């Protein structure tokens, strides 16, 4: 913005994550801050990431270093409800440095619903987690994505 000083900018610091990225966010015309990918990892169920488009779309988190993961909880934000297909993938030395499928969620989902992947045994060596939406009747969006070291 012309004439803007440092006092006109907002800085958001996300604790514990090296980076969060997504295919895109906002609507087809503007990148709206209310739809940023970091919103899916901020611990606030009143915010969300919205790709601003239908599938295919993805969101991913770089955990900053390799971690042991035992549970991933995905909180759906969607309108209308309907048939969806989502993939949960992991990458890191523990996954052979290639994307591996942890879970596939297929079926009817609705706003506010929680989808969970619980490892039979915690998975070690995970650096990146990605959620890919392959099919959905609405724009791709997630209210919250929580990653836990062990099944809570």
């Amino acid at each position: 913005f012309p004439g803007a000083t440092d006092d006109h900018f907002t800085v958001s610091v996300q604790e514990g994550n090296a980076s969060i990225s997504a295919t895109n966010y906002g609507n087809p015309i503007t990148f709206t801050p209310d739809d940023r990918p970091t919103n899916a990892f901020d611990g606030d169920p009143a915010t969300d990431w919205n790709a601003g488009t239908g599938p295919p779309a993805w969101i991913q988190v770089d955990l900053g270093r390799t971690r042991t993961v035992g549970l991933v909880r995905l909180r759906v934000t969607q309108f209308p409800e309907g048939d969806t297909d989502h993939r949960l993938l992991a990458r890191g030395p523990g996954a052979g440095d290639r994307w591996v499928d942890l879970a596939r969620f297929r079926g009817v989902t609705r706003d506010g619903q929680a989808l969970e992947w619980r490892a039979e045994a915690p998975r070690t060596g995970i650096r990146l987690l990605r959620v890919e939406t392959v099919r959905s009747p609405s724009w791709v969006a997630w209210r919250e994505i929580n990653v836990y070291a062990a099944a809570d």
Side-chain angles (χ1 to χ4, degrees):
F1 297 103
T5 66
D6 286 346
D7 293 334
H8 295 93
F9 295 98
T10 301
V11 175
S12 174
V13 177
Q14 302 296 317
E15 298 294 329
N17 296 322
S19 67
I20 299 168
S21 56
T23 47
N24 51 346
Y25 68 93
N27 63 53
I29 299 171
T30 62
F31 294 109
T32 51
D34 291 346
D35 297 327
R36 292 177 192 254
T38 54
N39 291 346
F41 294 90
D42 65 1
D44 182 355
T47 65
D48 59 48
W49 163 68
N50 190 321
T53 185
W58 55 262
I59 185 169
Q60 78 180 29
V61 59
D62 180 332
L63 299 171
R65 60 182 173 83
T66 58
R67 308 249 183 184
T68 299
V69 178
L71 170 68
V72 177
R73 183 175 296 127
L74 311 169
R75 182 72 62 184
V76 175
T77 183
Q78 175 182 325
F79 182 81
E81 70 179 55
D83 191 38
T84 58
D85 185 357
H86 308 286
R87 296 174 63 202
L88 176 63
L89 302 117
R91 186 174 181 179
D97 269 335
R98 58 183 170 74
W99 289 109
V100 295
D101 283 306
L102 296 180
R104 190 95 185 227
F105 303 99
R106 293 181 176 137
V108 174
T109 54
R110 63 193 52 81
D111 191 55
Q113 181 177 352
L115 305 175
E116 289 187 350
W117 167 77
R118 289 179 186 268
E120 290 182 23
R123 297 287 297 262
T124 59
I126 301 299
R127 170 83 189 241
L128 300 168
L129 285 171
R130 177 182 282 191
V131 180
E132 292 182 355
T133 299
V134 179
R135 183 178 62 248
S136 176
S138 71
W139 283 3
V140 177
W142 292 100
R143 190 165 306 285
E144 282 299 312
I145 299 173
N146 306 108
V147 180
Y148 301 95
D152 292 344

